[in-house]
Amino acid sequence: MVSKTDDIPASVPNVNCNTVDLAEEGDTQDSKETNKTSLKDSCACGHGADIAVMNGGGVHVHGEEAESKQDGGGDTEGGDEANEQEVIVIQDTGFTVKIQAPGAEPFDLQVSPQEMVQEIHQVLMDREDTCHRTCFSLQLDGNVLDNFAELKTIEGLQEGSLLKVVEEPYTVREARIHVRHIRDLLKSLDPSDAYNGVDCNSLSFLSLYTDGDLGESGKRKKKGSELEQIDCTPPEHILPGSKDRPLVPLQPPNKEWKPMQCLKVLTMSGWNPPPGNRKMHGDLMYLYLVTVEERHISITASTRGFYLNQSTTYVFNPKPANPSFLSHSLVELLGQISPAFKKNFTSMQKKRVQRHPFERIATPFQMYSWTAPQVDHAMDCVRAEDAYTSRLGYEEHIPGQTRDWNEELQTTRELARKNLPERLLRERAIFKVHSDFAAAATRGAMAVIDGNVMAINPGEETRMQMFIWNNIFFSLGFDVRDHYRELGGDAAAHAAPTNDLNGVRAYGAVDVEGLYTLGTVVVDYRGYRVTAQSIIPGILEREQEQSVIYGSIDFGKTVVSHSKYLELLEKTSRPLKVQKHSVLNEKDESVELCSSVECKGIIGNDGRHYILDLLRTFPPDLNFLPVESEELPPESLRQGFPRLHRHRLACLRQELIEAFVEHRYLLFMKMAALQLMQQKANKESKAAALTETSMAAPDLPALTSTESSSETSTETLTEGDADGPQAAHTEEEEEEAATAPTTPPAPEAADPTPPTPATAEQEVVTPKPTANGPSKPVATVNHNGECDSPLEGKEAEESIPGLAQAKQLAESLAAEDGSGIDPKSREVVLNACKAVGSISSTSFDIRFNPDIFSPGVRFPDDSAEDIQKQKQLLKDAAAFLVSCQIPSLVKDCLDHSALPMDGATLTEALHQRGINVRYLGNVLEFVDKTPAKTQLEHFYRIGISELITRCAKHIFKTYLQGVELSALSAAVSHFLNCLLSSFLDAVAHLPPDELVSRRKNRKRRNNKVPGAGDNTAWTSLTPSELWKNIVSEAQSYYHFTLECDSVDQAVEKYSLQKCSLLREISIKAGIQILIKEYNFDSRHKPAFTEEDILNIFPVVKHVNPKASDAFHFFQSGQAKVQQGFLKEGCELINEALNLFNNVYGAMHVEICACLRLLARLNYIMGDHPEALSNQQKAVLMSERVLGIEHPNTIQEYMHLALYCFANGQLSTALKLLYRARYLMLLVCGEDHPEMALLDSNIGLVLHGVMEYDLSLRFLENALAINSKYHGPRSLKVALSHHLVARVYESKSEFRSALQHEKEGYTIYKNQVGEAHEKTKESSEYLKYLTQQAVALQRTMNEIYKNGSNASIMPLKFTAPSMASVLEQLNIINGIIFIPLSQKDLENLKAEVQRRQLLQESGGKIAEITEDHSPLQLEDKIPIDD
């Protein structure tokens, strides 16, 4: 199951993504389409990142930046073949230069012509022998190289050139940078930055389980096969059935992190800054140090370097000491005066460069850890200086003080994007600026709430204050000027920023040239919601009334429009499905808009057209918006809708709109098809003529779209030029027809049962649904209009009535040449358009008017009919969510194609299908009524836990607002005690002295900062009151009845785990707690004390810019793999990896997906070491970017264990599996379908190392879980029985073995028939077991009869071979190898091409044919879960 960051980009095309098509023929004709497809949300396939090239211990991160600025004028428009070529050619042009640094041996460095000189600087500052230099230039033949020049532009630089590192004189800035860099080197092994969530550091524990790098498998292979050496016993809490859930193992202590002390103190001296007379001697600043040997020294940083001076703590004497040890680098100076420093610094740098680069590279966005050990607070001059200078002065070493965020965000958008190199540069710039902006905005928002920023309107009350810091504008999420009074007051003001962010995301993804949005970040911190935005140039000098030239500033009472804005917004209308409409202004004049009325257009002083307040980009959700005199469809009414929500801003998600339109399109196809069929039946005689003319006939000039970036499900209808839209049209229709099997039936069907019986096979085969509803390539289309659906033949016909007609229609369309237009066909189209609510009567086109039901918005009379249509469309969409999307989610969970493990992955599963979290209560009720409820227990449990923790978060938010800073840890620990501790009279402890000071402060109340509540009301909260509030919150917000009034009742009734609840609430509320064992169940003392609360972190939402070209390569690669072209797929995915690296740098969730898939392919193609190395990177990256116990990380651990086992590293494989099991127990407990897979893996490995009893415990647990979640007759259960039987056989307990194998045999026989090879295998094995059992019995009888002199036949006791264990491991992990001869291969290739079934094959093929479908375990195909 894929996880993703909060932000799914919105612009996703829905139907034109002919992925399969594109992969089949490396086609050139699809180029335009594929270009657009690339915008699809990559999250659909999980994520990740890799460093392209690693030289020497992985120092050189930028190896392959090559691709970033290619000049191979390759334009993707030329079809993706061209651009594959183009990229591959460019890769090979690297060359080697020699680098000579003072006092070090010259060494070779591999560089590429596209790199900048600056990147070589970075490499040198990271290398062990040159890391202590920061202030130097590189010279070629005596000429200084410009830092920002690309290597290819430097004359005379070629293979083998010698670059000299020349020390340069220091300036104050350079001296500071040097000290900061030395401090970073001294802290390089210290995890405290990761625990404190600063500087994009995060935790990773993989190296603890792999003893360093896995690459050296050779060294450890011997150890692996000497079985005696492996200690297989897991800790007690990992064994099946253990109820103990310790917290401490989550962050095991790492010996490497015990810092070696190099210095006791390094700080800025109190004598700074140098007085004027010393400045003129070149003094830049003074440092004060205490060495490990307890020597106190004062150092001068001068233009020539660092030297000892004669100052002491109390006497200033800046003259050089004797000897002064003048050195250009501080490290060299310290090495001369402190032997301990020299020794420890050297060994520390050795360790630093031995760590995997992924353990130390910064992540693009900050990760926060919800647990941390007690870290000693050490003296750190740089940290102290940062805190007090707010790091504005030389932030990111950018010249010119503060950054103009708006200018940076907008200019990166304006970069050229005609060809691949330009697009890569542009996307890279956009991504970099966004991640910097998100970091700065988060820092600013915390400063605002902590009271470190002066308000721009200090006279007003705190809730109304606004702030500007670092060129970012901050406002608080309160309804300040009764702006939202009509819409729900503070609740609406709290929801508006996230809605606005979704709008920014959507418009940003459509990416229309000339239309600009603001950089937007929403930060929740200490109970406050802060919106951070970049500032439109000039807006602060003018009144809002003057500057708004489009939209309305008072929710529609006064409205203005502007032709330029209409023109720009019209380009977004189609991809975002926004209908152009007219509203009345205060003078009753009709004003034309192409967005909601709140959307404001302002032209900045820079002449750019900005749009802001995009909170109603998407249409309202009528299920949560009761409107008088309007009745919802029966599907919604049956579920108790409409319901009153906290605010009136509830709107549908973009994914829902996309899914709804796609579903309507299918309906449109069917209706037209049926009418055509009737016509044909009526007029057999004119049949021929009819085939000629058909429904696509009408010319559609009006809809012809010109801009390349708009995408929508109907896009390709009009993609061609006006005179020949037909061809494009048919492609589209076929694609749609093909996707039919995944699309649920029409809402009209009002059918509460889960829709269309798509087979498990289908689920396996499709890559997971994208952020936009149903996934595409379920079925593929070949160009002559046949449709090959995985539901072959009859099944397909039954599952979709009218599919056959749709097929024929598509064929008749293909035959249409666009000339003879039959009026009857026109009528067919007209009727079909009417029926599905299309806004055009000549072609399918659904768009929504976002202003319908907005209070205060009035429409002109002449559009009444149109408005009526729009209202109906909104009702249908609301009904579609309830009647189709929720059942399809539950169905996906039933057949395990969606496997949420925690709150985040559950939320994501909802969002992918366009279901808002406010429907969580409904989803849970739906599950509760499902007949197969027991098979959904895991889902229900996660849902309940999510519901409880979300309600608790709502309460916590307002609770925290009333707490002053000094009592924060006491208040948080008190809240957690009330929420989770069984101790009934949790009393808040207020330290007495703080109460005293609070009385004194009462006088100065007026100038408090937003985060400074001063009441002690929070102390009166009791557990029973809190749980009452949670139950009533669940009822009022989610309309769900929780049947519990204390934590223990909840845990009992819904079988929850307190540690999982603690994890969920901590992550949601940004709490960091001390990692130790908490006794939640003690009735005598509370579980938490204030010392246990270490920190409060911000929870940040931001836009996540995408690498579109890279994603396009990734998708093509996936499609190739699914068709069985593993090698080609592998190349494409490698390419995607390079491009991802180019845009995102080395660390990113999407690169994770790339690496995981690559590893899987390497494994299938037999390259185990390579699989291991890629998967190791994927695990490290997942830990760093998603979190050490994120469900994705758990899965990455499992994959890595499999590859370790295949590489003969058995003990490592076991350690990794035990780690995965521990994490899974902590996150979701033992009762989860995924646990069965994990336990089967553990059991098999233990069987392999002959730990039979242990192995049985895990395998029998897996059997029990499989039986529960897959039903006792499932093939998974048969396989589980077989695995258990094998272990019993190894123990010579043949009776038990026979019993289990019989069970398995029965299942096979009933499910796949006697002729199936699985059934045959099972019956063979049964015969073998029977023989063994008989032989054993004979021997025993012999012994009884003849006593000691019996002649005993030697019995065969077989330890399982590694190969047989590996084979079983592959099967349960969904990889089946079938050895094939060359001839078989050819036949298979032909077959694959003919049917284009999305299946895997290749050299040693991992392939599942249809009749194997029973063995479809979780993720058949390396397109991973």
Side-chain angles (χ1 to χ4, degrees):
M1 218 189 34
V2 172
S3 138
K4 86 174 70 69
T5 39
D6 225 87
D7 336 50
I8 300 164
S11 82
V12 220
N14 222 342
V15 192
N16 55 3
C17 122
N18 207 334
T19 346
V20 178
D21 217 32
L22 142 197
E24 276 152 33
E25 353 191 281
D27 41 318
T28 37
Q29 47 109 194
D30 254 20
S31 59
K32 279 214 181 65
E33 246 179 83
T34 48
N35 241 355
K36 268 179 264 137
T37 324
S38 54
L39 281 160
K40 277 188 64 85
D41 174 26
S42 39
C43 292
C45 3
H47 318 274
D50 179 6
I51 293 185
V53 157
M54 292 290 184
N55 298 355
V59 206
H60 184 4
V61 177
H62 305 276
E64 237 142 274
E65 306 278 301
E67 270 75 56
S68 78
K69 316 171 192 84
Q70 301 151 350
D71 30 24
D75 190 336
T76 15
E77 303 296 316
D80 52 313
E81 276 301 282
N83 92 30
E84 281 165 44
Q85 281 325 110
E86 163 202 7
V87 185
I88 292 159
V89 170
I90 287 163
Q91 260 174 351
D92 307 329
T93 48
F95 58 96
T96 311
V97 292
K98 258 200 170 17
I99 303 232
Q100 166 79 64
E105 290 291 300
F107 62 89
D108 289 341
L109 182 67
Q110 171 84 22
V111 293
S112 82
Q114 279 77 14
E115 270 177 55
M116 289 193 190
V117 175
Q118 193 185 9
E119 296 176 22
I120 302 184
H121 274 250
Q122 292 297 329
V123 173
L124 294 175
M125 284 165 66
D126 196 65
R127 265 184 77 94
E128 191 183 342
D129 48 358
T130 54
C131 63
H132 54 274
R133 301 182 181 283
T134 58
C135 184
F136 59 85
S137 62
L138 289 168
Q139 299 190 359
L140 174 67
D141 308 330
N143 300 326
V144 177
L145 306 185
D146 167 17
N147 253 349
F148 294 99
E150 290 189 8
L151 298 186
K152 63 178 177 206
T153 61
I154 296 166
E155 274 181 51
L157 184 64
Q158 61 207 34
E159 180 72 35
S161 297
L162 178 69
L163 291 179
K164 285 206 167 109
V165 175
V166 180
E167 297 171 342
E168 293 288 327
Y170 283 99
T171 58
V172 176
R173 180 168 175 273
E174 284 292 348
R176 287 190 153 181
I177 287 174
H178 185 75
V179 172
R180 171 181 290 266
H181 180 65
I182 299 306
R183 168 270 200 169
D184 286 343
L185 290 175
L186 291 173
K187 280 190 63 181
S188 55
L189 296 177
D190 176 9
S192 57
D193 278 358
Y195 287 124
N196 295 329
V198 291
D199 291 340
C200 288
N201 282 303
S202 56
L203 297 164
S204 162
F205 291 98
L206 176 65
S207 54
L208 281 182
Y209 300 96
T210 55
D211 317 322
D213 194 19
L214 283 168
E216 317 132 19
S217 51
K219 277 189 222 165
R220 218 163 279 108
K221 232 174 190 158
K222 250 210 262 31
K223 228 164 90 186
S225 38
E226 295 162 17
L227 298 177
E228 309 80 84
Q229 289 188 12
I230 301 179
D231 177 24
C232 305
T233 333
E236 197 57 38
H237 60 261
I238 291 177
L239 289 171
S242 163
K243 286 281 167 274
D244 192 20
R245 300 277 181 270
L247 202 52
V248 174
L250 179 61
Q251 294 177 343
N254 189 337
K255 322 186 275 301
E256 295 286 302
W257 290 349
K258 290 279 176 288
M260 289 176 279
Q261 209 176 18
C262 297
L263 286 175
K264 288 207 164 155
V265 179
L266 159 64
T267 118
M268 299 291 167
S269 156
W271 298 117
N272 280 321
N277 63 331
R278 286 311 303 169
K279 256 190 190 160
M280 296 160 77
H281 282 83
D283 291 11
L284 302 172
M285 63 181 185
Y286 305 118
L287 302 171
Y288 169 70
L289 287 129
V290 181
T291 65
V292 179
E293 296 88 351
E294 276 300 329
R295 182 174 168 196
H296 293 242
I297 45 179
S298 213
I299 290 181
T300 300
S302 75
T303 48
R304 293 171 51 204
F306 296 81
Y307 61 82
L308 299 193
N309 61 35
Q310 298 177 27
S311 302
T312 65
T313 319
Y314 303 113
V315 181
F316 180 58
N317 180 357
K319 297 270 184 296
N322 190 10
S324 71
F325 296 114
L326 173 66
S327 312
H328 191 264
S329 133
L330 191 53
V331 171
E332 287 171 358
L333 168 68
L334 294 171
Q336 293 174 55
I337 54 177
S338 163
F341 176 88
K342 189 169 186 175
K343 174 170 162 281
N344 289 350
F345 186 79
T346 318
S347 70
M348 187 187 242
Q349 292 322 308
K350 273 206 168 49
K351 272 192 180 160
R352 178 179 68 89
V353 295
Q354 278 163 4
R355 290 175 68 194
H356 196 289
F358 283 10
E359 293 181 69
R360 46 201 185 93
I361 295 167
T363 58
F365 300 104
Q366 183 65 57
M367 272 294 303
Y368 299 101
S369 165
W370 64 278
T371 51
Q374 198 72 60
V375 180
D376 298 331
H377 193 59
M379 196 180 281
D380 181 340
C381 63
V382 177
R383 185 188 60 221
E385 183 192 24
D386 282 350
Y388 291 112
T389 55
S390 81
R391 241 153 102 186
L392 284 187
Y394 46 88
E395 167 153 25
E396 332 266 336
H397 315 317
I398 284 195
Q401 303 313 299
T402 63
R403 296 174 66 168
D404 181 345
W405 291 110
N406 191 66
E407 189 53 31
E408 285 191 43
L409 288 161
Q410 312 310 347
T411 37
T412 50
R413 285 243 172 241
E414 287 164 351
L415 292 171
R417 43 171 148 174
K418 290 191 200 60
N419 52 26
L420 182 68
E422 286 182 349
R423 277 196 304 274
L424 285 174
L425 254 178
R426 174 175 185 264
E427 287 177 345
R428 180 184 187 172
I430 290 175
F431 184 75
K432 179 78 183 98
V433 173
H434 262 98
S435 62
D436 290 354
F437 177 69
T442 308
R443 231 177 33 233
M446 291 168 72
V448 162
I449 299 301
D450 289 338
N452 297 344
V453 181
M454 172 83 175
I456 51 177
N457 50 345
E460 307 204 29
E461 64 158 315
T462 5
R463 295 164 52 106
M464 302 183 69
Q465 289 178 352
M466 290 169 278
F467 305 83
I468 287 180
W469 177 89
N470 192 355
N471 280 327
I472 304 173
F473 173 77
F474 297 93
S475 53
L476 300 172
F478 294 115
D479 182 16
V480 282
R481 295 189 169 67
D482 281 345
H483 190 66
Y484 292 106
R485 195 176 57 207
E486 310 255 298
L487 299 167
D490 277 352
H494 189 265
T498 44
N499 278 7
D500 182 39
L501 181 66
N502 288 334
V504 170
R505 191 176 293 150
Y507 278 100
V510 174
D511 212 2
V512 168
E513 231 163 296
L515 189 63
Y516 297 89
T517 54
L518 302 184
T520 308
V521 174
V522 179
V523 181
D524 288 300
Y525 178 61
R526 284 182 47 195
Y528 294 88
R529 172 159 283 182
V530 185
T531 309
Q533 291 170 311
S534 62
I535 301 171
I536 298 179
I539 191 167
L540 297 168
E541 291 99 79
R542 316 178 266 188
E543 277 298 310
Q544 206 181 12
E545 283 79 16
Q546 302 160 358
S547 34
V548 173
I549 58 163
Y550 172 89
S552 162
I553 53 171
D554 48 19
F555 288 102
K557 293 183 186 60
T558 51
V559 191
V560 286
S561 190
H562 187 277
S563 57
K564 180 66 180 161
Y565 271 103
L566 280 175
E567 177 196 328
L568 288 167
L569 286 166
E570 204 151 335
K571 295 179 181 170
T572 63
S573 137
R574 164 155 271 201
L576 295 180
K577 319 268 187 284
V578 175
Q579 190 192 6
K580 199 168 176 182
H581 59 279
S582 302
V583 298
L584 294 174
N585 64 9
E586 74 287 5
K587 305 190 185 108
D588 284 343
E589 296 159 353
S590 169
V591 179
E592 195 168 28
L593 295 177
C594 194
S595 64
S596 67
V597 284
E598 293 86 3
C599 169
K600 303 171 189 43
I602 296 180
I603 298 184
N605 285 359
D606 54 2
R608 294 188 177 109
H609 291 76
Y610 291 93
I611 48 170
L612 54 160
D613 288 348
L614 306 174
L615 51 143
R616 282 194 194 265
T617 302
F618 298 110
D621 179 353
L622 295 193
N623 287 331
F624 284 93
L625 188 72
V627 182
E628 280 180 26
S629 75
E630 292 287 346
E631 181 152 310
L632 288 181
E635 298 90 329
S636 292
L637 293 172
R638 267 203 298 275
Q639 306 254 349
F641 291 111
R643 289 177 175 161
L644 202 57
H645 199 49
R646 296 262 150 98
H647 54 78
R648 300 178 60 93
L649 292 178
C651 50
L652 299 170
R653 291 187 66 86
Q654 185 172 12
E655 296 92 335
L656 185 90
I657 300 298
E658 298 283 354
F660 176 69
V661 170
E662 189 159 326
H663 166 259
R664 277 287 156 109
Y665 186 63
L666 194 67
L667 213 63
F668 170 75
M669 288 281 298
K670 280 193 222 161
M671 307 213 41
L674 282 170
Q675 292 183 47
L676 269 176
M677 291 296 99
Q678 284 163 359
Q679 286 190 13
K680 277 194 177 165
N682 301 347
K683 307 199 175 162
E684 283 300 11
S685 53
K686 297 179 192 166
L690 250 178
T691 331
E692 281 303 285
T693 60
S694 90
M695 86 172 234
D699 242 6
L700 315 172
L703 285 164
T704 309
S705 143
T706 44
E707 21 59 58
S708 63
S709 64
S710 76
E711 343 61 11
T712 148
S713 67
T714 54
E715 182 57 41
T716 34
L717 286 187
T718 57
E719 195 48 44
D721 24 18
D723 55 343
Q726 272 61 35
H729 207 31
T730 45
E731 284 288 4
E732 191 64 12
E733 315 245 295
E734 295 167 14
E735 176 64 358
E736 269 304 336
T739 45
T742 47
T743 314
E748 285 73 33
D751 184 50
T753 56
T756 48
T759 57
E761 170 167 357
Q762 207 170 314
E763 297 302 333
V764 170
V765 165
T766 51
K768 288 279 169 286
T770 40
N772 300 321
S775 51
K776 314 291 172 309
V778 173
T780 50
V781 179
N782 28 22
H783 288 285
N784 52 7
E786 297 170 70
C787 169
D788 284 336
S789 144
L791 298 171
E792 281 292 15
K794 258 224 299 276
E795 264 183 277
E797 302 289 33
E798 286 159 19
S799 66
I800 304 155
L803 184 66
Q805 292 93 313
K807 260 193 212 175
Q808 278 173 282
L809 170 66
E811 282 159 24
S812 56
L813 285 171
E816 170 60 53
D817 62 347
S819 52
I821 298 164
D822 181 41
K824 287 223 166 41
S825 304
R826 252 182 227 273
E827 192 189 325
V828 167
V829 178
L830 184 71
N831 293 341
C833 284
K834 237 194 200 134
V836 295
S838 165
I839 58 168
S840 144
S841 57
T842 52
S843 73
F844 175 82
D845 189 358
I846 285 189
R847 304 187 197 184
F848 292 87
N849 174 344
D851 284 330
I852 304 275
F853 301 126
S854 289
V857 176
R858 300 174 306 141
F859 298 101
D861 296 339
D862 55 8
S863 59
E865 186 189 341
D866 202 30
I867 299 304
Q868 216 31 58
K869 254 194 193 165
Q870 281 293 331
K871 288 183 175 174
Q872 192 50 47
L873 207 53
L874 284 179
K875 293 177 189 174
D876 292 348
F880 171 73
L881 194 157
V882 179
S883 64
C884 289
Q885 296 304 82
I886 292 180
S888 91
L889 166 72
V890 173
K891 178 188 139 297
D892 285 347
C893 291
L894 259 179
D895 60 27
H896 304 285
S897 56
L899 265 182
M901 244 187 245
D902 68 345
T905 43
L906 171 73
T907 307
E908 185 190 316
L910 290 166
H911 285 173
Q912 277 181 352
R913 291 159 184 80
I915 305 168
N916 309 68
V917 176
R918 59 174 171 271
Y919 284 95
L920 186 55
N922 275 72
V923 174
L924 290 174
E925 276 171 18
F926 187 88
V927 170
D928 209 18
K929 297 187 187 119
T930 307
K933 187 187 169 195
T934 48
Q935 294 184 21
L936 288 165
E937 256 175 46
H938 63 294
F939 181 81
Y940 192 71
R941 188 180 325 110
I942 294 163
I944 292 282
S945 132
E946 181 70 350
L947 192 115
I948 290 174
T949 45
R950 277 179 183 263
C951 293
K953 180 188 76 173
H954 296 170
I955 297 162
F956 184 62
K957 189 182 71 201
T958 41
Y959 169 88
L960 266 194
Q961 286 175 6
V963 178
E964 71 163 11
L965 197 49
S966 61
L968 207 53
S969 53
V972 175
S973 62
H974 178 59
F975 184 88
L976 290 178
N977 281 327
C978 294
L979 180 67
L980 296 170
S981 180
S982 305
F983 179 60
L984 291 177
D985 31 1
V987 180
H989 298 287
L990 273 179
D993 53 342
E994 293 176 22
L995 286 171
V996 177
S997 64
R998 187 175 292 114
R999 273 188 213 106
K1000 284 187 205 147
N1001 282 343
R1002 279 289 152 83
K1003 294 189 197 74
R1004 302 196 358 251
R1005 264 181 62 186
N1006 300 337
N1007 54 357
K1008 36 179 244 271
V1009 299
D1014 64 351
N1015 60 18
T1016 51
W1018 60 269
T1019 54
S1020 59
L1021 184 73
T1022 64
S1024 61
E1025 184 196 350
L1026 174 61
W1027 276 90
K1028 253 199 211 80
N1029 293 346
I1030 287 178
V1031 171
S1032 73
E1033 177 75 6
Q1035 189 55 57
S1036 70
Y1037 193 89
Y1038 294 107
H1039 302 276
F1040 187 81
T1041 314
L1042 280 174
E1043 296 166 23
C1044 54
D1045 51 25
S1046 73
V1047 65
D1048 292 329
Q1049 275 189 3
V1051 166
E1052 183 62 33
K1053 172 150 180 59
Y1054 300 111
S1055 52
L1056 307 172
Q1057 314 188 110
K1058 286 189 179 179
C1059 66
S1060 305
L1061 288 171
L1062 175 63
R1063 171 179 177 265
E1064 293 286 352
I1065 186 74
S1066 302
I1067 290 172
K1068 286 182 179 51
I1071 303 168
Q1072 187 184 51
I1073 56 166
L1074 179 65
I1075 189 159
K1076 67 172 203 190
E1077 301 314 341
Y1078 291 97
N1079 183 2
F1080 297 111
D1081 301 330
S1082 159
R1083 302 211 166 265
H1084 309 296
K1085 68 181 211 312
F1088 300 90
T1089 68
E1090 56 187 290
E1091 299 308 311
D1092 296 330
I1093 309 299
L1094 297 183
N1095 211 337
I1096 287 201
F1097 287 129
V1099 176
V1100 186
K1101 300 182 178 69
H1102 55 82
V1103 176
N1104 228 348
K1106 288 292 174 248
S1108 51
D1109 287 293
F1111 182 59
H1112 160 58
F1113 269 96
F1114 185 65
Q1115 276 197 318
S1116 318
Q1118 278 189 315
K1120 285 272 190 232
V1121 168
Q1122 288 175 330
Q1123 296 162 352
F1125 302 108
L1126 297 193
K1127 200 154 160 294
E1128 293 93 323
C1130 218
E1131 280 165 17
L1132 282 167
I1133 286 162
N1134 263 314
E1135 212 38 73
L1137 193 53
N1138 289 334
L1139 301 183
F1140 275 135
N1141 276 323
N1142 255 308
V1143 175
Y1144 297 139
M1147 277 271 156
H1148 194 274
V1149 269
E1150 284 167 30
I1151 301 181
C1152 237
C1154 237
L1155 285 167
R1156 178 203 313 142
L1157 185 49
L1158 262 184
R1160 188 97 181 202
L1161 287 171
N1162 295 140
Y1163 182 67
I1164 288 172
M1165 284 157 43
D1167 186 349
H1168 294 176
E1170 188 61 17
L1172 201 54
S1173 139
N1174 280 325
Q1175 187 59 32
Q1176 180 188 11
K1177 291 176 192 164
V1179 176
L1180 284 170
M1181 202 168 303
S1182 187
E1183 287 192 305
R1184 294 282 321 278
V1185 182
L1186 293 169
I1188 52 174
E1189 79 302 328
H1190 190 281
N1192 263 36
T1193 309
I1194 300 177
Q1195 300 218 314
E1196 304 296 9
Y1197 264 100
M1198 279 165 63
H1199 295 313
L1200 184 60
L1202 173 65
Y1203 307 152
C1204 274
F1205 187 88
N1207 256 352
Q1209 301 177 17
L1210 309 191
S1211 57
T1212 307
L1214 263 178
K1215 279 190 218 159
L1216 294 169
L1217 287 168
Y1218 287 157
R1219 170 72 173 168
R1221 190 172 210 275
Y1222 165 72
L1223 294 174
M1224 201 154 157
L1225 287 172
L1226 185 72
V1227 170
C1228 64
E1230 198 163 58
D1231 186 19
H1232 191 281
E1234 199 61 353
M1235 191 57 99
L1237 179 61
L1238 187 47
D1239 281 354
S1240 303
N1241 274 302
I1242 296 177
L1244 272 166
V1245 175
L1246 287 168
H1247 184 199
V1249 297
M1250 305 198 290
E1251 289 278 344
Y1252 302 138
D1253 293 328
L1254 256 179
S1255 169
L1256 274 176
R1257 289 185 66 171
F1258 286 100
L1259 288 175
E1260 286 178 331
N1261 190 51
L1263 174 60
I1265 296 176
N1266 272 335
S1267 308
K1268 171 173 176 180
Y1269 285 108
H1270 292 273
R1273 304 263 56 89
S1274 137
L1275 293 157
K1276 273 215 167 118
V1277 177
L1279 185 58
S1280 270
H1281 276 301
H1282 174 63
L1283 298 180
V1284 174
R1286 283 173 43 129
V1287 183
Y1288 276 123
E1289 177 213 343
S1290 299
K1291 291 181 68 181
S1292 301
E1293 296 184 17
F1294 295 114
R1295 182 168 297 163
S1296 310
L1298 273 165
Q1299 200 179 334
H1300 279 287
E1301 192 56 41
K1302 271 189 193 132
E1303 292 277 332
Y1305 174 72
T1306 319
I1307 296 175
Y1308 282 132
K1309 197 171 80 179
N1310 296 340
Q1311 298 289 355
V1312 294
E1314 302 213 4
H1316 194 282
E1317 65 182 279
K1318 277 285 154 204
T1319 324
K1320 287 182 194 153
E1321 274 172 29
S1322 181
S1323 88
E1324 287 300 311
Y1325 188 55
L1326 273 174
K1327 280 183 203 143
Y1328 167 73
L1329 284 176
T1330 318
Q1331 285 163 8
Q1332 289 292 347
V1334 171
L1336 180 67
Q1337 199 53 52
R1338 274 203 202 119
T1339 312
M1340 299 308 280
N1341 294 348
E1342 180 80 9
I1343 293 173
Y1344 289 137
K1345 216 162 51 205
N1346 302 349
S1348 54
N1349 56 2
S1351 56
I1352 301 172
M1353 288 278 296
L1355 270 174
K1356 285 194 293 185
F1357 286 107
T1358 47
S1361 70
M1362 286 303 142
S1364 69
V1365 173
L1366 186 57
E1367 183 190 349
Q1368 295 297 330
L1369 276 171
N1370 287 329
I1371 290 175
I1372 61 168
N1373 288 293
I1375 299 171
I1376 302 176
F1377 292 105
I1378 306 171
L1380 291 181
S1381 69
Q1382 200 45 46
K1383 185 161 170 270
D1384 291 341
L1385 257 180
E1386 319 263 276
N1387 296 345
L1388 193 94
K1389 273 243 167 100
E1391 174 70 5
V1392 163
Q1393 278 166 317
R1394 187 177 73 70
R1395 296 177 47 193
Q1396 295 175 343
L1397 264 178
L1398 309 175
Q1399 297 278 313
E1400 291 190 52
S1401 60
K1404 193 189 177 197
I1405 230 190
E1407 182 241 358
I1408 308 91
T1409 42
E1410 276 186 308
D1411 53 1
H1412 274 112
S1413 56
L1415 281 171
Q1416 259 133 13
L1417 307 160
E1418 251 56 329
D1419 42 9
K1420 234 355 158 237
I1421 281 207
I1423 307 305
D1424 223 81
D1425 33 335

